[in-house]
Amino acid sequence: MSVAKKEYKRITVKSLVDMKARGEKISMLTAYDYTMAKIVDGSGVDVILVGDSASNVMAGHETTLPITLDQMIYHASSVVRAIERSLVVVDLPFGTYQSDPKEALRSAIRIMKESGGHAVKMEGGKEIKESIKRILNAGIPVMGHLGLTPQSIYKFGTYTVRAKEEQEALQLKEDALMLERAGCFAIVLEKIPAKLAEEVAKSVSIPIIGIGAGNGVDGQVLVTHDMIGMTHEFNPRFLRRYMNLYEDMTKACSQYKDDVKSGDFPSDNEQY
Ligand code: KIV
């Protein structure tokens, strides 16, 4: 007996470049586990980012620095098992690509081999150029990440808007051109002035995906847990909340607790 299966056209790195060329905006959200990835993929979102923000969201760390390569592979492989259509991009975590290009390639190969992800994302510009080239030469697609790069939080000192000063804006524009020339298929721009982000998007042919970078770019990314209001202490101006799950889930848990305490749950119909 054959089971009819829905046919999905999978999103590839080329699809994203084509979307930019025809002016279609790209949607990207994070997921770190199977259940969330099933929902995000089923919703038609183009790209799922297995972000190292899992370090904050899933593990409760203050920064993205502690998450390990093994932990990223665990999250990414859970996501990959769920998806039918979306492109899965996996963050290379802090400390796995900054020291030398050979180590960077080894880390990227482990992500691709052990998780089944489709591409990696790396934070930084000219300082990681050789590592990016080494990974691209091995046939692994790379997404760049400029602007606020959380893995360098201790260098910046704060999570405020980046590249407001002319010198930093100039460097960011040069880095974006370098990433395009090196062969990256897209770049995330995080928390920079909208005007600068639009300028960068116009200067390159690869997609620019913004988070806190305004509407003049080629796509948007948000952390899903923030977007659905499951987190509630993080309230940056760029975040649009589509639900308030923190409140709804707290109410549900509290109602469940009351029902157990009062003996209302389980009812006659909820037992064997
Ligand atoms: O780790 C992450 O979730 C990210 C996005 C914020 C772009 O890098």
Side-chain angles (χ1 to χ4, degrees):
M1 192 182 82
S2 71
V3 179
K5 208 165 178 267
K6 250 188 188 167
E7 285 301 323
Y8 293 99
K9 197 170 183 315
R10 279 195 179 262
I11 301 290
T12 64
V13 295
K14 182 170 180 306
S15 323
L16 302 186
V17 178
D18 292 347
M19 282 162 88
K20 168 159 182 158
R22 60 173 184 267
E24 180 182 341
K25 296 262 188 180
I26 296 161
S27 54
M28 172 157 134
L29 281 174
T30 57
Y32 320 113
D33 66 78
Y34 177 87
T35 305
M36 186 70 87
K38 261 243 167 302
I39 295 169
V40 177
D41 179 75
S43 73
V45 164
D46 301 307
V47 186
I48 295 184
L49 173 65
V50 185
D52 58 0
S53 50
S55 179
N56 313 100
V57 177
M58 302 304 280
H61 291 297
E62 206 174 301
T63 72
T64 57
L65 276 65
I67 200 161
T68 65
L69 191 55
D70 284 336
Q71 288 165 341
M72 286 303 295
I73 289 168
Y74 167 78
H75 287 299
S77 55
S78 308
V79 166
V80 167
R81 281 192 286 276
I83 57 113
E84 296 192 54
R85 176 183 173 272
S86 310
L87 183 83
V88 178
V89 180
V90 185
D91 264 337
L92 274 179
F94 175 70
T96 66
Y97 62 96
Q98 290 91 347
S99 59
D100 83 272
K102 275 191 192 158
E103 195 196 356
L105 178 58
R106 268 195 301 274
S107 305
I109 286 176
R110 278 202 61 201
I111 295 234
M112 302 300 282
K113 248 184 169 1
E114 296 177 39
S115 78
H118 308 136
V120 296
K121 177 163 82 56
M122 300 164 72
E123 295 183 7
K126 63 178 189 319
E127 66 283 4
I128 56 160
K129 182 175 166 188
E130 292 313 314
S131 294
I132 290 174
K133 281 186 165 172
R134 188 62 80 108
I135 293 170
L136 285 163
N137 280 341
I140 301 172
V142 175
M143 176 181 272
H145 184 155
L146 300 171
L148 176 64
T149 46
Q151 291 179 12
S152 308
I153 187 58
Y154 290 114
K155 184 173 99 185
F156 300 143
T158 75
Y159 286 100
T160 52
V161 180
R162 306 301 311 170
K164 278 163 96 177
E165 306 301 329
E166 201 182 330
Q167 190 49 43
E168 198 183 338
L170 212 62
Q171 185 60 57
L172 187 142
K173 286 192 257 187
E174 273 176 26
D175 282 341
L177 290 173
M178 180 282 289
L179 291 176
E180 178 181 40
R181 273 197 300 268
C184 289
F185 70 92
I187 303 170
V188 165
L189 288 185
E190 181 165 353
K191 223 170 173 188
I192 63 166
K195 201 161 159 282
L196 172 63
E198 183 169 2
E199 214 182 302
V200 173
K202 282 188 176 142
S203 73
V204 293
S205 59
I206 57 172
I208 298 294
I209 301 182
I211 173 163
N215 207 1
V217 291
D218 309 302
Q220 299 292 329
V221 55
L222 284 177
V223 169
T224 304
H225 288 70
D226 298 333
M227 187 275 288
I228 61 178
M230 216 165 158
T231 54
H232 74 306
E233 282 160 349
F234 180 62
N235 286 302
R237 175 167 161 179
F238 67 74
L239 176 62
R240 183 179 292 183
R241 286 201 200 282
Y242 288 81
M243 302 175 81
N244 192 345
L245 268 192
Y246 188 90
E247 230 172 64
D248 292 348
M249 289 178 73
T250 305
K251 273 190 208 147
C253 293
S254 166
Q255 184 65 56
Y256 165 77
K257 181 255 309 169
D258 290 347
D259 291 351
V260 170
K261 300 266 183 201
S262 69
D264 180 77
F265 176 80
S267 67
D268 288 352
N269 293 332
E270 290 161 326
Q271 55 190 288
Y272 302 100

